[in-house]
Amino acid sequence: MTEADVVLRAVGVHVAFGGLRAVDNVDLEVRRGELLAIVGPNGAGKTTLFNVLAGALRPTKGSVLLDGEDITRQPSHRRAKAGISRTFQHVRPFLDETVLRNVAVAALANGHRRAAADTRAAELLERVGLGGRLGKRAGELGLGERKRLELARALALEPKVLLLDEVMAGLNPVEVQRIGELLQEIRRVTSVNIVLIEHLLKVVHTLADRVVVLDAGAVLVEGTPAAVFRDERVIEAYLGRKYAAS
Amino acid sequence: MTSSSTGKPDTSTGKPGTVPVQARPGRSGLNRTVKLVAGALLALVIVWIAAAGSNHLLGLATVALMFGAISGAWAMAGGLGGLFSLGHAAFFGIGAYTTAFLFAGHGVSPWLGMVAGVVLAAVFGACTTWLSVRFRVRGSYFALVTLAWAEMLRVIVSNVTPLGRSNGILVPYKAEPTFADLQFSDPRAYYALAVLYAVVVTVIFMVVKRTRFGWRLSAVRGDEDAAAASGVDVRRVLVAVMALSAAVTAAGGTLYVQYMQFIDPELAFSPTVSIDIAIRAVIGGPMVALGPLAGSGAMTTMTEWLKMSVSDSPAMNVLLFGVAVILAGRYFRNGLAGIGASALQWIGRRKERHDGS
Amino acid sequence: MDWQLVTQSLGGGILTGSVYGVAAVGLALVFGVVGVVNFAHGAMIMLGMYVVWYLHQWTSLDPFLLSLVAAVVGLGLGWFIQYVLVNKVMGTGQEGPLLVTVGISLIFVAVAEFVFSSNPRSVKPSYGDATFSVGPAQFSVTRLIAMLAAVAFTLALHNVLRKTDLGRSIRAVSQNRTAAQLMGLNVATVYAAAMALGAASAFFAGGVSASLLPVTPNAGLSLMLMSFVAAVLGGLGSIRGAFAAGIIVGLAEGAGALLLEGTLKTLVVFALFVLVLLLRPEGVFKR
C-alpha cells in the first residue's frame, strides 16, 4: 500500500467535549476505489469522526489529509469544494426550496453557471430516482426521497470522497434495497470513494470492502466484513459480555 | 414559513417519475400575469400621483417611496438573507449624516456625499455582521446586537460637535439649486428621484434573488450547516448581503436628508427608524421584490386615512404598525405578498377543479 | 481622581443597577422558560411607570407600595399576552415571537401616548427631598428605597420559583420541556405563568422607576436595553445572575459617567453588551 493509494487519511484524531473523549486517537485511511464502512454501537463517535472529516468540527488533536494535503484547518465549504461531501444523519435538505434547486446550489461549487447547474442537478436527480420531482418543494418529500435528495446533493459536488451518515436509517426494506443498488451503481459509473456509517450489518456485509469498528471513540477492529463480524471483541461490543461468553 | 416533515412517504401526489418537470404550468403563468398586473398598477399610481397629485400627496408619496425602497434594501438582508436587523437606522443615519456633514460643512456635492456614505455604511455593515456571524449570533440576538450598534452610533453622534450634537445638521438650501446640489425647486423632481431610487432598489433585489449569489443566500437562510456542506461560504455570503443592504440603505439616507434638509440623531438613528424600516418590509412581504414598496404604500395610506377620519395623533401610526406586525407574525408571515400568493393558489385550485370537471 | 466623584458615581451605579436588575430578572425568566426574547419588555416597564403615576395622582399612597399593584396588573397582562398571542407563534422559529413582541410593544407605546399624552410626568414620594450620606457622597432616600424594593421583589420571585408548585413546574419546563410534558405539565400554561411573572417584574421595575425618572411613553426603551444587557450578561435564564448583572451594568454606567461626559456614559454599557453577546463562550444563538 503506497501513499498514493490513500485518498483520505485521519492521523491521531482526538475530539474532546469538555471532559468527554468522543474520539480518541483514531487513525483511519480511505483507500482509492474502496467502500469503507464504519460501524459501532451508539455513542461510539462515528458521527463525530465524520464531522471531523467533513470539516464541521475541528479536532482537539490530530490531522486530516486529502490526497496527502493537510486540510485539518479547512472549513466545511472549502472541503466540499476540494472533494469531500457528506450527508447528514438526520436529513437536512433546504425544505423551502425545490428539489432541483437543492441539488443545483451544490453544483454551483464546481463553477457551473445557473443553467449548467440546473442541467447537472436534473441528471443527478434522475439517477437517484427523483427525476419526476424536480419542481416539488423538498419539504413535501418523504424520508426515503429526502435521503436520496441529499445523496444527489452530495454527488453534485463531484466529490473524491462521499461520507454517508446512516443513509438507510429509518427506511423500509424496499427503500434500503433501492439505496444499496444506487450506491453500487454510483461506484460503477464514477470513481468516487464511499465511507458509510451504517447500523444495518446486512447492508455492510453486501456493500463494504472493508469495515472499521469504533467503540468508545477508538478503533476496535478493522478488516474485511467477514473477518470483522467474527471477531469476539466486536460481538462483545455489540451484544454485551454475556453473549460473547456463551 | 412552512415545515411539513412527517417522515412518511408521500403518496398523495402520484407515482414518482410520472409528474412532468414543470409542475402545473398554468399556475406559474397565472403568477406571472398577476405580477405584471401588480407592477403595471403600481406604475399607473406612480404616474397618476405625479400628474394629478397635490403637493401634499406628492410629499407623502415621496417619503413612502423612499422608505419603501429602504425597506427593500432591508429585505435583502432581513428577508432573503434571514438576518433580521433592528438596526438599519445605523446605515440610514450614516448615509444621511455623511451627506449633510460634507454638504453643509464643506460644500461637497451630495452625490459625492452619497458615495462616501454608501462606502462607510457598507464597511460598517460588513464589520458588524462579520462579528455576529463569526460568533454565531443569530435570530433574536442578531436583532438585539444590531439595535445596540445603532444606539451606539446615536449616542456618539449626539456628542460630536462637528455633527451638531443633539441639534443635528441643517442642510442649507441654495437659492438657485443645481442638479449637483441634489436640490430642486419643483417637488416633482424629488418625487422622480424617489421613483428612480425605488426602481434601482427593486432591480438590485431581483438580481440578488436570481443570481448564483441569491441561490447561495437562500441555501444559507434554509440551513447554514447544509449550505456549508454544499460548498457555500456561509460567512462570506452573509457579510456580503449585509454590506449590500447597508450600502443601498445609506443611499436612501442621502436622498432623505437632501429632501428634508434636516437631520438629527433621533431622526437618523433611533430604534423607531429601524423598526419602521423593518416593518414596512414585514408587512409587504420581505421575500418579494415589490413587497416592501407595497407594504410602505399600504402603511402610508392607512396612516393618512386614519389621520383624516379618526385622529391626527402620531400614536395612531404606531398603533397601526403594532397591529399589522402582530398580524404578520401571527398569520401572514409573508405579508401582503403572501396573502396575494394564497389568493392565487385558491383561484388556481378552483380553476383546476373547474377545468377537471 | 476626585474621591467624592468616584463614590458618588459608583454608589449611584449600584442604586440604579438594582432597578436594572429587577427588570432583567423578568427578561431572563421569560427567556429561560419560554425561550423568547421579549421585545415588549420595555413597553411593559413603561406601563408600570404609568400605573404608579396614575394611582399616585389618585390615592397619594406611597409609590413603592403602588408598584406592587403595578406588578399585579403586569401579572394579568403577561398571562394574557402569552396565552393569546405568543403561545400561538411558538415553534415556528424566532421570527414569529420577535414580530409579535415588537408589535405588542408598539401598541403599548401608542396606547400610552393616547391615554397619557407624551408630556413627561413625575412621581414624588413624601420623602422625596430626603438624602443620606455615605462618606463624601450624598444620595436621595428615594433611590435607596427603590433599591431595597428591587431586592425584596427579586427575593420574593426567587422564593416563588424555589418553593411553590408553580415555581417547580416553571423550572421543570425550563430544564427539560419534553420531560415536563411527559410528566403531565401543561406547557402552554407554564409559559403563560412565566410570562406573567416576567411582566410583573417589568411592571414592578417600571413602578419603582417612576419616582426616579420622568414618565414618558418612550421611557421604557433605555431601561429595556439596560435590562437586556444585564440578562445576557447574567447568562439568560438565571435569576440571581440577571440581578447581579444588573448591578454590574449600573456600575459600568457609573464608571462610564466618570470617564465620559454626558450621555456618552451609556456607550460603556453598549460596548459591554456587544462584547458579552459576541464572546459568550457557549454562544447564544440557540438554546
Side-chain angles (χ1 to χ4, degrees):
Chain A
M1 167 94 10
T2 66
E3 198 49 44
D5 292 327
V6 179
V7 186
L8 184 66
R9 181 191 286 283
V11 187
V13 167
H14 279 271
V15 178
F17 298 118
L20 180 83
R21 279 198 210 141
V23 174
D24 191 3
N25 196 22
V26 167
D27 292 310
L28 186 84
E29 55 186 37
V30 182
R31 295 167 194 162
R32 212 165 288 283
E34 76 173 348
L35 192 152
L36 174 69
I38 299 178
V39 301
N42 283 327
K46 303 182 298 278
T47 296
T48 309
L49 182 61
F50 252 35
N51 282 335
V52 169
L53 296 178
L57 198 66
R58 189 80 47 92
T60 326
K61 240 173 27 187
S63 50
V64 181
L65 293 92
L66 179 66
D67 279 333
E69 190 195 341
D70 191 331
I71 57 166
T72 317
R73 303 189 71 78
Q74 274 187 13
S76 302
H77 67 95
R78 291 268 298 283
R79 290 194 205 191
K81 286 188 170 179
I84 301 178
S85 70
R86 60 99 49 97
T87 65
F88 292 92
Q89 185 178 4
H90 305 287
V91 279
R92 296 171 80 163
F94 306 115
L95 294 173
D96 288 336
E97 310 267 5
T98 62
V99 169
L100 184 67
R101 176 66 64 77
N102 259 274
V103 180
V105 74
L108 292 181
N110 308 316
H112 284 309
R113 304 204 64 88
R114 281 172 298 158
D118 272 343
T119 313
R120 178 81 188 115
E123 279 168 27
L124 288 167
L125 285 162
E126 187 66 53
R127 192 186 296 168
V128 301
L130 291 172
R133 300 290 223 203
L134 304 188
K136 268 219 168 311
R137 243 173 28 82
E140 295 172 46
L141 298 184
L143 182 64
E145 290 176 317
R146 288 181 191 201
K147 295 243 175 191
R148 279 183 278 142
L149 174 62
E150 267 206 355
L151 192 59
R153 188 171 72 189
L155 286 171
L157 293 162
E158 282 160 24
K160 293 174 185 164
V161 183
L162 190 54
L163 306 173
L164 303 178
D165 196 348
E166 298 201 15
V167 74
M168 319 252 186
L171 301 187
N172 64 39
V174 180
E175 288 170 324
V176 167
Q177 169 108 26
R178 195 163 172 183
I179 290 198
E181 284 163 7
L182 195 57
L183 292 184
Q184 270 164 339
E185 193 203 317
I186 289 166
R187 293 185 69 195
R188 258 203 318 279
V189 184
T190 70
S191 59
V192 67
N193 301 280
I194 298 176
V195 185
L196 201 67
I197 290 180
E198 194 45 72
H199 271 302
L200 299 172
L201 298 187
K202 201 179 120 209
V203 171
V204 173
H205 254 299
T206 48
L207 289 179
D209 301 312
R210 208 156 57 87
V211 179
V212 169
V213 184
L214 281 189
D215 187 33
V219 176
L220 190 66
V221 189
E222 64 173 283
T224 61
V228 162
F229 293 128
R230 272 199 307 272
D231 194 295
E232 258 183 35
R233 286 167 298 176
V234 176
I235 297 168
E236 192 177 304
Y238 260 89
L239 301 172
R241 276 164 219 292
K242 272 185 198 158
Y243 286 91
S246 64
Chain B
M1 302 294 124
T2 39
S3 61
S4 60
S5 52
T6 53
K8 282 174 206 146
D10 186 340
T11 51
S12 63
T13 43
K15 282 176 289 182
T18 57
V19 183
V21 177
Q22 260 97 23
R24 277 160 269 179
R27 189 181 298 176
S28 71
L30 188 66
N31 204 338
R32 169 160 294 176
T33 317
V34 168
K35 274 183 188 166
L36 279 175
V37 170
L41 266 177
L42 203 67
L44 208 66
V45 171
I46 284 169
V47 172
W48 175 75
I49 291 173
S54 63
N55 276 358
H56 175 69
L57 185 61
L58 214 52
L60 282 178
T62 304
V63 173
L65 275 169
M66 279 182 188
F67 269 91
I70 289 172
S71 204
W74 178 90
M76 293 171 198
L80 300 180
L83 292 172
F84 200 105
S85 155
L86 279 181
H88 258 54
F91 312 132
F92 173 76
I94 288 175
Y97 260 98
T98 308
T99 310
F101 171 71
L102 289 176
F103 184 60
H106 301 86
V108 179
S109 163
W111 294 102
L112 289 176
M114 181 190 279
V115 174
V118 161
V119 171
L120 267 179
V123 170
F124 186 73
C127 292
T128 52
T129 306
W130 186 88
L131 280 172
S132 284
V133 176
R134 163 73 182 75
F135 293 102
R136 301 212 123 205
V137 173
R138 292 299 194 296
S140 296
Y141 300 102
F142 185 83
L144 272 179
V145 176
T146 54
L147 191 74
W149 285 118
E151 275 294 282
M152 280 163 97
L153 285 188
R154 187 178 64 85
V155 173
I156 291 171
V157 169
S158 313
N159 285 278
V160 174
T161 310
L163 296 179
R165 307 183 74 94
S166 50
N167 295 326
I169 301 178
L170 206 61
V171 176
Y173 183 72
K174 299 267 179 81
E176 275 173 36
T178 65
F179 185 72
D181 295 328
L182 199 49
Q183 285 179 346
F184 309 97
S185 44
D186 187 343
R188 272 174 301 186
Y190 289 107
Y191 178 69
L193 210 58
V195 171
L196 181 68
Y197 174 57
V199 169
V200 170
V201 173
T202 308
V203 169
I204 294 177
F205 187 100
M206 293 197 300
V207 167
V208 167
K209 195 171 168 184
R210 290 186 193 166
T211 50
R212 290 185 282 179
F213 177 67
W215 286 18
R216 295 195 170 103
L217 191 59
S218 184
V220 170
R221 185 185 63 241
D223 185 331
E224 289 184 17
D225 294 337
S230 309
V232 177
D233 187 341
V234 173
R235 206 178 292 176
R236 191 159 96 186
V237 164
L238 290 178
V239 168
V241 78
M242 188 57 86
L244 179 67
S245 170
V248 177
T249 303
T254 296
L255 297 182
Y256 179 83
V257 78
Q258 286 304 108
Y259 175 63
M260 300 303 279
Q261 290 163 16
F262 175 66
I263 194 75
D264 72 10
E266 286 297 318
L267 280 173
F269 295 108
S270 81
T272 322
V273 176
S274 294
I275 290 175
D276 188 311
I277 293 172
I279 281 176
R280 284 170 197 261
V282 166
I283 286 167
M287 308 299 292
V288 186
L290 287 178
L293 279 175
S296 183
M299 291 316 294
T300 304
T301 312
M302 283 293 283
T303 309
E304 279 309 300
W305 179 75
L306 284 171
K307 244 185 217 171
M308 285 187 291
S309 58
V310 185
S311 150
D312 65 347
S313 158
M316 207 64 222
N317 194 2
V318 181
L319 184 71
L320 183 71
F321 271 45
V323 173
V325 171
I326 290 178
L327 287 177
R330 172 80 174 80
Y331 298 106
F332 314 112
R333 203 57 72 74
N334 289 314
L336 294 172
I339 297 175
S342 309
L344 269 185
Q345 266 178 10
W346 184 77
I347 295 170
R349 266 201 305 274
R350 275 191 53 143
K351 196 157 159 269
E352 246 169 50
R353 210 178 303 151
H354 194 76
D355 294 347
S357 65
Chain C
M1 188 166 273
D2 186 344
W3 189 239
Q4 192 246 332
L5 204 62
V6 173
T7 325
Q8 189 75 46
S9 302
L10 297 185
I14 293 176
L15 293 174
T16 315
S18 60
V19 178
Y20 297 157
V22 73
V25 160
L27 209 52
L29 177 67
V30 170
F31 182 83
V33 180
V34 190
V36 161
V37 175
N38 179 17
F39 282 87
H41 204 67
M44 291 175 173
I45 293 173
M46 176 273 297
L47 286 187
M49 292 171 106
Y50 273 109
V51 170
V52 167
W53 171 78
Y54 183 77
L55 292 177
H56 185 70
Q57 292 288 99
W58 189 38
T59 63
S60 313
L61 284 171
D62 184 82
F64 294 102
L65 214 59
L66 293 173
S67 297
L68 283 175
V69 182
V72 173
V73 175
L75 214 55
L77 196 65
W79 179 285
F80 176 81
I81 284 170
Q82 182 68 35
Y83 221 89
V84 174
L85 290 170
V86 184
N87 268 346
K88 312 286 186 204
V89 293
M90 300 288 296
T92 57
Q94 298 189 4
E95 216 165 276
L98 190 152
L99 290 175
V100 167
T101 54
V102 167
I104 291 169
S105 155
L106 292 174
I107 291 175
F108 284 178
V109 171
V111 167
E113 218 158 285
F114 271 128
V115 179
F116 303 108
S117 88
S118 49
N119 299 332
R121 319 278 184 174
S122 62
V123 176
K124 195 174 173 192
S126 50
Y127 38 81
D129 294 323
T131 58
F132 68 100
S133 313
V134 180
Q138 258 200 345
F139 304 100
S140 80
V141 170
T142 314
R143 294 179 77 185
L144 179 67
I145 295 179
M147 174 173 160
L148 295 177
V151 172
F153 189 87
T154 306
L155 281 176
L157 191 63
H158 189 69
N159 276 323
V160 167
L161 291 175
R162 289 269 141 200
K163 305 261 167 72
T164 65
D165 282 349
L166 175 70
R168 272 187 280 270
S169 313
I170 288 177
R171 284 191 301 137
V173 170
S174 84
Q175 274 152 19
N176 190 335
R177 191 165 309 176
T178 325
Q181 236 158 353
L182 290 174
M183 281 157 52
L185 284 177
N186 183 344
V187 174
T189 312
V190 172
Y191 283 171
M195 180 63 93
L197 290 175
S201 93
F203 270 73
F204 188 80
V208 166
S209 309
S211 311
L212 308 174
L213 300 168
V215 180
T216 69
N218 288 309
L221 185 69
S222 68
L223 277 168
M224 173 172 78
L225 287 172
M226 296 304 164
S227 53
F228 270 138
V229 181
V232 172
L233 189 63
L236 277 165
S238 152
I239 301 294
R240 272 178 293 190
F243 189 79
I247 296 198
I248 292 175
V249 169
L251 278 171
E253 203 183 14
L258 278 176
L259 302 170
L260 302 162
E261 54 165 312
T263 48
L264 276 176
K265 66 179 177 182
T266 47
L267 270 191
V268 177
V269 181
F270 285 124
L272 190 70
F273 181 44
V274 170
L275 273 179
V276 167
L277 260 182
L278 294 178
L279 297 179
R280 275 182 50 135
E282 66 272 40
V284 286
F285 77 111
K286 260 182 200 163
R287 259 159 53 82

